[in-house]
Amino acid sequence: MPMAMTPSPPPSDRPRILFLGDDIQYNPDIYQRLASQFDIIHPQSADLHRPAFLQHLRDGSWDRFQAIMRPSWHTGGEMGNWDQELIELLPPSLKVYASAGAGYDWVDVVCLARHGIVYCNGAGASTEAVGDMALWHIISVFRNMTSSLLAARSVDSTQFSHAHHDLPAISYNPRGHTLGIVGLGNIGYAIAVKAYAAFGMKILYHDIVRKSPEQEEMVKAEFHPEIGSMLRKTDCLLLATPSTMGGRPFLTSEILAQLPRGSRFVNIARGSLVDEEALAEALRSGDLAAAGLDVHASEPHVNAKLATMPNVTMTCHTGGGAVETKTGFERLAMENVEKVLNGREALTPVNAHLIKELMTNGYANGHGMNGERNGTL
């Protein structure tokens, strides 16, 4: 059961944390450690909806807090995107915002950097779960699992027999096939390790940063600095790259045209990276044999065309959906805040490099870095 939160103490000289979302459920010991060092402000859910939240920031209702933590991905985000409108209202005392979740396409990390605020995500907490989900989708797109599942659940003996007799002729084992990964960060590399170990897949990857020779050797990975050279050799393309706020899709008709006919596609990154109409057309034409989608462009809504295709496997953005992930998100959000407020480096900073660049150039949103705001990043 979630632990009951004690009321916020009266104002003091201790640093203040604005706590967004549900009570701590999995790491009460860390929460109590935080509460012993800092004052924690825990607004009601009604205060987090965007109009109310922005008004509270304008009014200074929560005084000059130094940190924000959002330990649960499913709550604490009622105010919507953290864009310039919202960020401009944050107090100059704020040093760090630590949130659950690995992706950060809902928060303008560049704008936060201009204000000297380090953003920390839940990197690492969801790696194992998302990696496992990716393997499930890889199996599905090679073995036509959705068609088989639908036929079995139809309780129709004719559909069952068709699937039993017909699917083997268009199904393949993943072993020996080429997996092209876009984005070999923590999650992408974990998927490479699993796919190489479990299926013996050949690993190709494209990223802005190359892995070390030791990491490449572990999975016999082949680096492609130019995306086209990788696409032309790929049997299954997998997206594991971040999306940014307002970013354009990566998977377009132009990218799809560079894949071999009959290849496969898996997305466990962000739905906004995919032009879903172009994907549907590639599947309809046979240019793509199958697709596996854990994420969707207009969540919680899924593309109606894709949803009707038996060669498309869909899940409900549950790639990271495991108790271990939720536990890790909580822990990282609290420990990141604790580190920064105690003058140490954050564990999972996303934009610390941008803040350092801005500090070097003596620039932050036109009025210089606020000295009080900058802590040890």
Side-chain angles (χ1 to χ4, degrees):
M1 293 293 293
M3 65 173 292
M5 294 294 138
T6 56
S8 298
S12 70
D13 292 332
R14 301 196 307 173
R16 296 163 66 83
I17 301 170
L18 185 64
F19 177 179
L20 306 179
D22 283 351
D23 292 347
I24 296 300
Q25 185 173 2
Y26 301 102
N27 299 276
D29 53 332
I30 301 177
Y31 179 82
Q32 294 299 342
R33 191 173 74 220
L34 277 185
S36 71
Q37 303 172 74
F38 314 111
D39 291 343
I40 299 177
I41 312 158
H42 196 181
Q44 297 296 312
S45 176
D47 294 322
L48 302 185
H49 293 278
R50 193 172 185 91
F53 189 72
L54 296 186
Q55 193 59 51
H56 279 297
L57 292 177
R58 292 187 189 99
D59 295 343
S61 305
W62 300 308
D63 204 7
R64 293 165 62 82
F65 49 89
Q66 285 77 32
I68 301 173
M69 68 178 188
R70 179 190 174 191
S72 172
W73 175 245
H74 293 105
T75 61
E78 291 85 346
M79 68 291 299
N81 286 344
W82 284 62
D83 52 16
Q84 184 172 340
E85 178 191 30
L86 188 156
I87 293 169
E88 292 287 348
L89 299 175
L90 296 171
S93 54
L94 183 60
K95 297 179 179 180
V96 57
Y97 178 15
S99 176
Y104 44 90
D105 51 333
W106 53 275
V107 56
D108 190 337
V109 296
V110 176
C111 188
L112 285 176
R114 292 195 185 107
H115 286 75
I117 303 166
V118 62
Y119 176 76
C120 303
N121 67 354
S126 61
T127 299
E128 188 72 12
V130 176
D132 289 347
M133 180 66 83
L135 256 62
W136 189 84
H137 277 281
I138 291 170
I139 293 172
S140 186
V141 297
F142 276 96
R143 296 292 303 276
N144 292 287
M145 297 298 286
T146 292
S147 292
S148 184
L149 288 166
L150 290 173
R153 288 183 175 275
S154 72
V155 200
D156 182 321
S157 60
T158 300
Q159 289 191 45
F160 185 101
S161 295
H162 282 319
H164 178 69
H165 290 102
D166 298 341
L167 288 181
I170 57 171
S171 298
Y172 295 85
N173 293 327
R175 182 168 297 277
H177 284 85
T178 300
L179 180 66
I181 303 176
V182 179
L184 210 69
N186 291 333
I187 290 175
Y189 189 72
I191 294 168
V193 170
K194 289 173 182 287
Y196 178 76
F199 303 143
M201 298 189 80
K202 301 173 184 176
I203 306 299
L204 313 180
Y205 76 100
H206 170 74
D207 205 326
I208 58 174
V209 178
R210 184 170 184 173
K211 288 295 184 185
S212 69
E214 294 76 17
Q215 289 173 306
E216 289 184 345
E217 176 61 26
M218 184 177 293
V219 294
K220 300 294 189 288
E222 182 180 299
F223 176 61
H224 286 258
E226 196 272 313
I227 186 66
S229 67
M230 185 188 82
L231 294 174
R232 290 188 290 272
K233 299 170 65 175
T234 293
D235 296 317
C236 180
L237 177 67
L238 185 142
L239 294 190
T241 188
S243 176
T244 57
M245 182 180 289
R248 293 178 294 180
F250 167 82
L251 192 80
T252 60
S253 56
E254 291 78 15
I255 291 292
L256 287 163
Q258 297 180 66
L259 289 166
R261 182 173 173 81
S263 54
R264 298 152 185 85
F265 172 67
V266 171
N267 187 13
I268 49 78
R270 280 292 184 267
S272 59
L273 291 167
V274 175
D275 179 340
E276 291 184 340
E277 293 303 310
L279 176 61
E281 176 57 27
L283 289 160
R284 186 203 62 78
S285 68
D287 288 338
L288 272 186
L293 307 173
D294 183 53
V295 289
H296 310 272
S298 302
E299 295 178 12
H301 308 287
V302 300
N303 184 285
K305 290 181 183 178
L306 294 170
T308 63
M309 294 180 170
N311 56 343
V312 176
T313 300
M314 287 185 170
T315 46
C316 301
H317 200 156
T318 49
V323 169
E324 293 88 348
T325 301
K326 291 168 70 70
T327 303
F329 280 164
E330 274 192 2
R331 177 183 58 80
L332 279 172
M334 291 189 286
E335 290 185 346
N336 270 305
V337 163
E338 183 180 36
K339 292 283 188 184
V340 173
L341 292 186
N342 282 319
R344 298 196 294 274
E345 292 187 359
L347 297 171
T348 57
V350 169
N351 64 346
H353 65 293
L354 297 175
I355 296 175
K356 290 176 181 176
E357 289 174 10
L358 290 166
M359 291 174 67
T360 299
N361 296 330
Y363 169 82
N365 205 26
H367 53 71
M369 286 287 188
N370 186 304
E372 179 184 1
R373 176 170 272 164
N374 297 327
T376 301
L377 303 176

